[in-house]
């Protein structure tokens, strides 16, 4: 894979994960991490969506 393309993809993943984490914090408050873990169990998530939610869950776990 092209390294420039890889960096852009990683940057986009980080931005979307931050947006998802912010959404989950607004909607679920203190239970945001649990909501992200529940969302990861859904069968209808795409591989990209799964990566975004997993990164968001990681961010929520740290905070």
């Amino acid at each position: 894979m092209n390294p420039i393309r890889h960096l852009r993809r990683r940057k986009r993943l980080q931005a979307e994960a931050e947006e998802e984490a912010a959404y989950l914090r607004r909607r679920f408050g203190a239970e945001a991490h649990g909501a992200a873990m529940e969302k990861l169990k859904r069968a209808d998530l795409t591989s990209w969506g799964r990566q975004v939610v997993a990164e968001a869950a990681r961010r929520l776990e740290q905070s």
Side-chain angles (χ1 to χ4, degrees), residues 20-35:
E20 180 72 17
Y23 165 75
L24 290 170
R25 277 189 208 105
R26 281 192 310 270
R27 179 139 188 231
F28 297 102
E31 299 298 319
H33 183 260

Side-chain angles (χ1 to χ4, degrees), residues 36-37 45:
M37 298 309 287
L45 278 178

Side-chain angles (χ1 to χ4, degrees), residues 22-62:
Y23 165 75
L24 290 170
R25 277 189 208 105
R26 281 192 310 270
R27 179 139 188 231
F28 297 102
E31 299 298 319
H33 183 260
M37 298 309 287
E38 284 295 316
K39 195 170 186 178
L40 275 173
K41 294 177 184 176
R42 290 176 44 181
D44 63 340
L45 278 178
T46 62
S47 62
W48 177 256
R50 192 168 306 283
Q51 287 178 9
V52 169
V53 175
E55 180 65 23
R58 187 183 67 77
R59 288 170 182 248
L60 290 167
E61 184 177 38
Q62 290 176 350

